[in-house]
Amino acid sequence: MSPLQRASGWIFAGPALVVLSVFFFLPVLAAFALSLTDFDIYALADISNLRFVGLDNYAELIGRPIFWKALGNTVYFVGAGVPLSIAVSLFAALLLHSRASFLKPLFRTALFAPVVTTVVAVAVIWRYLLHTRYGILNAALESVGLPAVDWLGDPNVSMPAIILFAVWKNFGYNMIIILAGLQAIPDDLYEAARIDGANRVQQFIHVTLPSLAPILFLVGVITTAGYFQLFAEPYVMTEGGPVQSTLSILYFMYEEGFKWWSLGSASAVAFLLFVIMLGVTAVQYAVMRRRGGLA
Amino acid sequence: MKGRASNPLVVNGALIGLALVALFPLFWMISVSLMQPGEAADVPPPLLPSDPTFENYLRLFGQTGMGRYFLNSLVLAVSATALSLFFNVTAGYAFAKLRFKGRDTIFRLLLAALVIPAQVAMIPLFLMLKEMGLINTYLGVLVPTMANVFGIFLVRQYALSVPTEMLEAARLDGAGEIRIFASIVLPALRPIIVTLGIFAFLASWNDFLWPLIVLIDDDMYTLPVAIAALSREHVQDAELMMAGAVVTVLPVLFLFLGLQRFYLRGLLLGSVKG
């Protein structure tokens, strides 16, 4: 081996590792350090105004109702949005996988299309579709005799409206992954179940679901992580309102950091989000392992 | 489900229903963008323009600087794609096929770092770029898109299938490492390069939070940042906003339609556990 050959691994991997270290790993560590300071607009102007405050930012956040409101809203969005999204993805994947379906590639493309669209742009579309007076959705409700809903103006339905939008936008992604999982289930399993006299619902419960379990778990973990990062949807559709009913953790971090320039406190928010996500992922893995579905 | 076929009427009916729900907002967007100003606020809301017009597009490009936003988005997405390919393809290949000390440990660490949400790095990164004078610049927007763990992972998974014997044979023939990379590895990786390229382009084009933080002046805005700002300013002007949405969404929709095969393959490859 020539010296160049021995060094080639580092030469090829080096640029990416340097970039990741400088622009990702270093900032992540710095975020924790920053969260222990009172970095604010005065420190932004003159760094000598910066003071180390220990865990004060965290203590202060825990004492602020708006932090709990943002956390609660985010947990609501994740808790209702993730199962609903995956249920719709599973339903769509089962339809596409069915022998009875025609034009599969066409339907697959149509159902996937919302995934590649720009979230800000389609959120603007939905804001009009959900409009109380001029929106198509209320026109449809009223045409069948149902009352109009103030989708984005009523704090009780604003989050469900955003969940509805998120499901529409995202279900195609997991649909593709679940569809691949369905295609990988061997026919013999269904054959054996049929011979045992299982009807279609029983086949679904005893063959399809257990075979899909690892994949459903995987898309669950990925979708949960993604949904915790809710930001653009409320920013565009509701500006976090009404009465902070759609203020998410990231939205709170954004306002704390880039509206009020409390960068120390905002870093603490970011770190708490990270810790919460880590905890939720750990619980998901533990539950899955206990059920024995994970090799 | 396999076996006795389900009722085709039910299955296809449900598929048509779902497809209508998925596509209706996009159809409505195009339709309203062609309506006369104010027409979308009629009661009941019209589905098709009574007298189609391009006036909203003319207003959009004439009055809001949409041409500039489009150019910003395009320059950034193309640059982000090029940078992402350079950093991630070289590293993905190294982690798959080159031997160096600590390789597997570093790779495991990188995978573990996938659990860290990107937003954690944003505030220090903002301060860092401020020191470097990169706030409100293209470069500032591009910095976090250069290398990413997911891209390295994607390329590595694909590069594992490149036969090592082929590389060894070239080495025995005296070919240098750069030459081997350019003439053997890159051609073999072409499908995953296309896949990663689409991912990088779409991610940059659709990105919102980071450009919103880094870009200060109106003439630096990307399409999503501009659309978000315009939609607050022109709330009543549904026709204008839908023209803006069309200009933002259609390019990526067509890109996806043209390269769908590569995109979906990458999606599946990326979801396989390492």
Side-chain angles (χ1 to χ4, degrees), chain A residues 100 102 109 118 127-128 218 235, chain B residues 12 206 231-232 235 260 271:
Chain A
F102 303 121
T109 305
T118 311
R127 212 175 61 181
Y128 290 111
L218 182 76
Y235 185 92
Chain B
N12 291 289
N206 293 339
S231 80
R232 290 186 173 187
V235 143
Q260 190 177 168
S271 69

Side-chain angles (χ1 to χ4, degrees), chain B residues 158-227:
Chain B
Y158 196 87
L160 286 174
S161 65
V162 175
T164 307
E165 302 80 52
M166 216 157 76
L167 307 176
E168 288 302 336
R171 275 186 198 118
L172 287 178
D173 288 347
E177 291 299 322
I178 308 275
R179 169 105 187 278
I180 292 172
F181 180 72
S183 59
I184 299 178
V185 176
L186 280 185
L189 293 183
R190 190 175 299 160
I192 202 68
I193 289 174
V194 177
T195 300
L196 182 63
I198 308 167
F199 275 29
F201 190 94
L202 287 181
S204 167
W205 186 273
N206 293 339
D207 197 14
F208 181 54
L209 179 53
W210 181 245
L212 179 71
I213 291 173
V214 172
L215 299 175
I216 313 290
D217 292 336
D218 181 81
D219 66 344
M220 290 300 292
Y221 283 0
T222 59
L223 286 168
V225 178
I227 293 283

Side-chain angles (χ1 to χ4, degrees), chain B residues 31-48:
Chain B
S31 176
V32 171
S33 78
L34 299 171
M35 286 181 188
Q36 299 292 339
E39 192 180 347
D42 286 352
V43 178
L47 284 182
L48 290 168

Side-chain angles (χ1 to χ4, degrees), chain A residues 8-19:
Chain A
S8 62
W10 284 109
I11 292 170
F12 279 92
L17 291 177
V18 168
V19 164

Side-chain angles (χ1 to χ4, degrees), chain B residues 110-152:
Chain B
L110 288 182
L111 283 189
L114 276 173
V115 301
I116 308 173
Q119 295 87 357
V120 173
M122 279 182 182
I123 291 165
L125 199 56
F126 173 84
L127 293 173
M128 200 162 144
L129 295 183
K130 189 171 166 290
E131 283 304 305
M132 298 161 76
L134 291 179
I135 295 302
N136 201 32
T137 65
Y138 284 160
L139 208 55
V141 179
L142 290 171
V143 157
T145 67
M146 290 193 285
N148 68 77
V149 177
F150 178 76
I152 295 173

Side-chain angles (χ1 to χ4, degrees), chain A residues 170-271:
Chain A
N170 299 314
F171 81 91
Y173 190 93
N174 289 335
M175 172 189 83
I176 297 292
I177 298 173
I178 294 172
L179 181 60
L182 285 171
Q183 285 160 349
I185 302 175
D187 276 346
D188 326 1
L189 290 181
Y190 290 111
E191 195 64 40
R194 263 197 305 281
I195 290 167
D196 290 345
N199 64 30
R200 202 165 310 159
V201 174
Q202 287 166 330
Q203 285 178 39
F204 177 73
I205 293 173
H206 296 292
V207 179
T208 311
L209 275 185
S211 309
L212 276 184
I215 285 183
L216 291 177
F217 167 70
L218 182 76
V219 297
V221 171
I222 296 173
T223 311
T224 303
Y227 276 23
F228 261 112
Q229 298 169 30
L230 176 69
F231 174 71
E233 295 86 344
Y235 185 92
V236 172
M237 293 168 77
T238 58
E239 301 182 27
V243 289
Q244 296 161 350
S245 60
T246 56
L247 183 79
S248 65
I249 283 281
L250 264 190
Y251 203 152
F252 178 58
M253 180 203 89
Y254 172 77
E255 296 219 311
E256 195 74 357
F258 298 99
K259 189 171 168 191
W260 308 116
W261 298 104
S262 302
L263 293 169
S265 168
S267 297
V269 176
F271 241 86

